[in-house]
Coordinates of all heavy atoms in Angstrom, one line a residue:
R1183 N -12.9 -3.5 47.8 CA -14.1 -4.2 47.6 C -13.8 -5.4 46.6 O -14.3 -6.5 46.8 CB -15.2 -3.3 47.0 CG -15.8 -2.4 48.0 CD -17.1 -1.7 47.5 NE -16.9 -1.0 46.3 CZ -16.6 0.2 46.1 NH1 -16.4 1.0 47.2 NH2 -16.4 0.8 44.9
T1184 N -13.1 -5.2 45.6 CA -12.7 -6.2 44.6 C -11.9 -7.4 45.3 O -12.2 -8.5 45.1 CB -11.9 -5.7 43.4 OG1 -12.7 -4.7 42.8 CG2 -11.5 -6.8 42.5
I1185 N -11.0 -7.0 46.2 CA -10.2 -8.0 46.9 C -11.1 -8.8 47.8 O -11.0 -10.0 47.9 CB -9.1 -7.3 47.7 CG1 -8.0 -6.8 46.7 CG2 -8.5 -8.3 48.7 CD1 -7.0 -5.8 47.3
V1186 N -12.0 -8.1 48.5 CA -12.9 -8.8 49.4 C -13.8 -9.8 48.7 O -14.0 -11.0 49.1 CB -13.8 -7.8 50.2 CG1 -14.9 -8.5 51.0 CG2 -12.9 -7.0 51.2
K1187 N -14.4 -9.4 47.6 CA -15.2 -10.3 46.8 C -14.5 -11.4 46.2 O -15.0 -12.6 46.2 CB -15.9 -9.5 45.7 CG -17.0 -8.5 46.2 CD -17.8 -7.9 45.1 CE -17.1 -6.7 44.6 NZ -18.0 -5.9 43.7
A1188 N -13.2 -11.2 45.9 CA -12.4 -12.3 45.3 C -12.1 -13.3 46.4 O -12.2 -14.6 46.2 CB -11.1 -11.8 44.8
H1189 N -11.9 -12.9 47.6 CA -11.7 -13.8 48.7 C -13.0 -14.6 49.1 O -12.9 -15.8 49.4 CB -11.1 -13.1 50.0 CG -9.6 -13.0 49.9 ND1 -9.0 -12.0 49.2 CD2 -8.6 -13.7 50.4 CE1 -7.7 -12.1 49.3 NE2 -7.4 -13.2 50.0
M1190 N -14.1 -13.9 49.0 CA -15.3 -14.7 49.3 C -15.5 -15.8 48.2 O -15.9 -16.9 48.6 CB -16.5 -13.7 49.2 CG -16.6 -12.6 50.3 SD -16.5 -13.3 52.0 CE -14.8 -13.1 52.4
R1191 N -15.2 -15.5 47.0 CA -15.4 -16.5 46.0 C -14.3 -17.6 46.2 O -14.7 -18.8 46.1 CB -15.2 -15.9 44.6 CG -16.4 -15.1 44.1 CD -16.4 -14.7 42.7 NE -15.3 -13.8 42.4 CZ -15.2 -12.5 42.5 NH1 -16.2 -11.9 43.0 NH2 -14.1 -11.9 42.2
L1192 N -13.1 -17.3 46.5 CA -12.0 -18.2 46.7 C -12.4 -19.1 47.9 O -12.1 -20.4 47.8 CB -10.7 -17.5 47.0 CG -9.5 -18.3 47.4 CD1 -9.0 -19.1 46.2 CD2 -8.4 -17.4 47.9
W1193 N -13.0 -18.6 48.9 CA -13.3 -19.4 50.1 C -14.7 -20.1 50.0 O -15.2 -20.6 51.0 CB -13.3 -18.5 51.3 CG -11.9 -18.0 51.7 CD1 -10.7 -18.5 51.2 CD2 -11.6 -16.9 52.5 NE1 -9.7 -17.8 51.8 CE2 -10.2 -16.8 52.6 CE3 -12.3 -16.0 53.2 CZ2 -9.5 -15.8 53.3 CZ3 -11.7 -15.0 54.0 CH2 -10.3 -14.9 54.0
G1194 N -15.3 -20.0 48.8 CA -16.6 -20.7 48.7 C -17.8 -20.0 49.3 O -18.8 -20.6 49.6
C1195 N -17.6 -18.7 49.4 CA -18.7 -17.8 50.0 C -19.2 -16.8 49.0 O -19.6 -15.7 49.4 CB -18.2 -17.1 51.3 SG -17.6 -18.2 52.5
A1196 N -19.3 -17.2 47.7 CA -19.7 -16.2 46.7 C -21.1 -15.5 47.0 O -21.2 -14.3 46.7 CB -19.7 -16.9 45.4
P1197 N -22.1 -16.2 47.6 CA -23.3 -15.6 47.8 C -23.2 -14.4 48.8 O -24.1 -13.5 48.9 CB -24.2 -16.7 48.4 CG -23.6 -18.0 47.9 CD -22.2 -17.7 47.8
L1198 N -22.2 -14.4 49.6 CA -22.0 -13.3 50.6 C -21.1 -12.2 50.1 O -21.0 -11.2 50.8 CB -21.3 -13.9 51.9 CG -22.0 -15.0 52.7 CD1 -21.1 -15.4 53.8 CD2 -23.4 -14.5 53.2
A1199 N -20.5 -12.3 48.9 CA -19.5 -11.4 48.4 C -20.0 -10.0 48.4 O -19.3 -9.1 48.9 CB -19.0 -11.8 47.0
E1200 N -21.1 -9.7 47.8 CA -21.6 -8.3 47.7 C -21.9 -7.7 49.1 O -21.5 -6.5 49.4 CB -22.8 -8.2 46.8 CG -22.5 -8.4 45.4 CD -21.6 -7.4 44.7 OE1 -21.6 -6.2 45.1 OE2 -20.9 -7.8 43.8
T1201 N -22.6 -8.5 50.0 CA -22.9 -8.0 51.3 C -21.7 -7.7 52.1 O -21.5 -6.7 52.8 CB -23.8 -9.0 52.0 OG1 -25.0 -9.2 51.2 CG2 -24.3 -8.4 53.4
V1202 N -20.7 -8.6 52.1 CA -19.5 -8.5 52.9 C -18.7 -7.3 52.3 O -18.2 -6.4 53.1 CB -18.6 -9.7 52.8 CG1 -17.3 -9.5 53.4 CG2 -19.3 -10.9 53.5
A1203 N -18.6 -7.1 51.0 CA -17.9 -6.0 50.4 C -18.6 -4.6 50.9 O -17.9 -3.7 51.2 CB -17.8 -6.1 48.9
L1204 N -19.9 -4.6 50.9 CA -20.6 -3.4 51.3 C -20.3 -3.1 52.8 O -20.0 -1.9 53.1 CB -22.1 -3.6 51.1 CG -23.0 -2.4 51.6 CD1 -22.7 -1.1 50.9 CD2 -24.5 -2.8 51.4
C1205 N -20.3 -4.1 53.6 CA -20.1 -3.9 55.1 C -18.6 -3.5 55.3 O -18.4 -2.6 56.1 CB -20.4 -5.1 55.9 SG -22.2 -5.5 55.9
V1206 N -17.7 -4.0 54.6 CA -16.3 -3.6 54.7 C -16.2 -2.1 54.3 O -15.5 -1.3 54.9 CB -15.4 -4.5 53.8 CG1 -14.0 -3.9 53.7 CG2 -15.3 -5.9 54.5
H1207 N -16.8 -1.8 53.2 CA -16.8 -0.4 52.7 C -17.3 0.5 53.8 O -16.7 1.6 54.1 CB -17.7 -0.3 51.4 CG -17.7 1.1 50.9 ND1 -16.9 1.5 49.8 CD2 -18.5 2.2 51.2 CE1 -17.2 2.8 49.6 NE2 -18.2 3.2 50.4
E1208 N -18.4 0.2 54.4 CA -19.0 1.0 55.5 C -18.0 1.2 56.6 O -17.8 2.3 57.2 CB -20.3 0.4 56.0 CG -21.4 0.6 55.0 CD -21.7 2.1 54.7 OE1 -21.7 2.9 55.6 OE2 -22.0 2.3 53.5
L1209 N -17.3 0.1 57.0 CA -16.3 0.2 58.1 C -15.2 1.1 57.7 O -14.7 1.9 58.5 CB -15.9 -1.1 58.6 CG -16.8 -2.0 59.3 CD1 -16.2 -3.3 59.7 CD2 -17.4 -1.3 60.5
L1210 N -14.7 0.9 56.5 CA -13.5 1.7 56.0 C -13.8 3.2 55.9 O -12.9 4.0 56.3 CB -13.0 1.1 54.7 CG -12.4 -0.3 54.8 CD1 -11.9 -0.8 53.4 CD2 -11.2 -0.4 55.8
V1211 N -14.9 3.6 55.4 CA -15.1 5.0 55.2 C -15.2 5.7 56.6 O -15.0 6.9 56.6 CB -16.4 5.3 54.4 CG1 -16.2 4.8 52.9 CG2 -17.7 4.8 55.0
N1212 N -15.5 5.0 57.6 CA -15.5 5.6 58.9 C -14.2 5.8 59.5 O -14.0 6.6 60.5 CB -16.4 4.7 59.9 CG -17.8 4.8 59.7 OD1 -18.3 5.9 59.2 ND2 -18.6 3.8 60.0
V1213 N -13.2 5.1 59.0 CA -11.8 5.2 59.6 C -11.3 6.7 59.6 O -11.1 7.3 60.6 CB -10.8 4.2 59.0 CG1 -9.4 4.5 59.4 CG2 -11.2 2.8 59.3
P1214 N -11.1 7.3 58.4 CA -10.6 8.7 58.4 C -11.6 9.7 59.0 O -11.2 10.7 59.6 CB -10.3 9.0 56.9 CG -11.1 8.0 56.2 CD -11.3 6.8 57.0
R1215 N -12.9 9.4 58.8 CA -13.9 10.3 59.3 C -14.0 10.4 60.8 O -14.2 11.5 61.3 CB -15.3 9.8 58.8 CG -16.5 10.7 59.0 CD -17.7 10.2 58.4 NE -17.6 10.2 56.9 CZ -18.3 9.5 56.1 NH1 -19.1 8.6 56.5 NH2 -18.1 9.6 54.8
H1216 N -13.7 9.3 61.5 CA -13.9 9.3 63.0 C -12.6 9.2 63.7 O -12.5 9.3 64.9 CB -14.8 8.2 63.4 CG -16.2 8.4 62.9 ND1 -17.0 9.4 63.3 CD2 -16.9 7.7 61.9 CE1 -18.2 9.3 62.7 NE2 -18.2 8.3 61.8
T1217 N -11.4 8.9 63.0 CA -10.2 8.8 63.7 C -9.2 9.9 63.4 O -8.2 10.1 64.1 CB -9.5 7.4 63.4 OG1 -9.0 7.5 62.0 CG2 -10.4 6.3 63.6
G1218 N -9.4 10.6 62.3 CA -8.4 11.6 61.9 C -7.2 11.0 61.2 O -6.3 11.8 60.8
S1219 N -7.2 9.7 61.0 CA -6.1 9.1 60.3 C -6.7 8.1 59.3 O -7.6 7.3 59.6 CB -5.2 8.4 61.3 OG -4.3 7.6 60.6
P1220 N -6.1 8.0 58.1 CA -6.6 7.0 57.1 C -6.0 5.6 57.4 O -6.4 4.6 56.7 CB -6.1 7.5 55.8 CG -4.9 8.3 56.1 CD -5.1 8.8 57.5
R1221 N -5.0 5.4 58.3 CA -4.3 4.1 58.5 C -5.3 3.2 59.3 O -5.9 3.5 60.3 CB -3.1 4.4 59.4 CG -2.0 5.2 58.8 CD -1.3 4.6 57.6 NE -0.7 3.3 58.0 CZ -0.5 2.4 57.1 NH1 -0.8 2.6 55.8 NH2 0.1 1.3 57.4
C1222 N -5.3 1.9 58.7 CA -6.0 0.9 59.4 C -5.5 -0.5 58.9 O -4.7 -0.6 58.0 CB -7.5 1.0 59.1 SG -8.0 0.7 57.4
E1223 N -6.1 -1.5 59.5 CA -5.7 -2.9 59.1 C -7.1 -3.6 58.9 O -8.0 -3.6 59.7 CB -5.0 -3.6 60.1 CG -4.7 -5.0 59.8 CD -4.0 -5.8 60.9 OE1 -4.4 -5.6 62.1 OE2 -3.1 -6.6 60.7
L1224 N -7.2 -4.3 57.7 CA -8.4 -5.1 57.4 C -8.0 -6.5 57.6 O -7.0 -7.0 57.0 CB -8.8 -4.8 55.9 CG -9.9 -5.7 55.4 CD1 -11.2 -5.6 56.1 CD2 -10.0 -5.5 53.9
I1225 N -8.8 -7.3 58.3 CA -8.6 -8.7 58.5 C -9.9 -9.5 58.1 O -10.9 -9.2 58.6 CB -8.2 -9.0 59.9 CG1 -7.0 -8.2 60.4 CG2 -7.9 -10.5 60.1 CD1 -6.7 -8.3 61.9
L1226 N -9.7 -10.4 57.2 CA -10.8 -11.3 56.9 C -10.4 -12.7 57.4 O -9.3 -13.2 57.1 CB -10.9 -11.5 55.4 CG -11.1 -10.2 54.5 CD1 -11.1 -10.5 53.0 CD2 -12.3 -9.4 54.9

């Protein structure tokens, strides 16, 4: 979440930082829950 928010600020998208971080968090918690594996790739 910290990395995502830092990239939002770096890219001039600070107003979106909290919302994007929350949505990324939601996608990530589903990975081990629904795939059986914690491995994934995040792309911004």
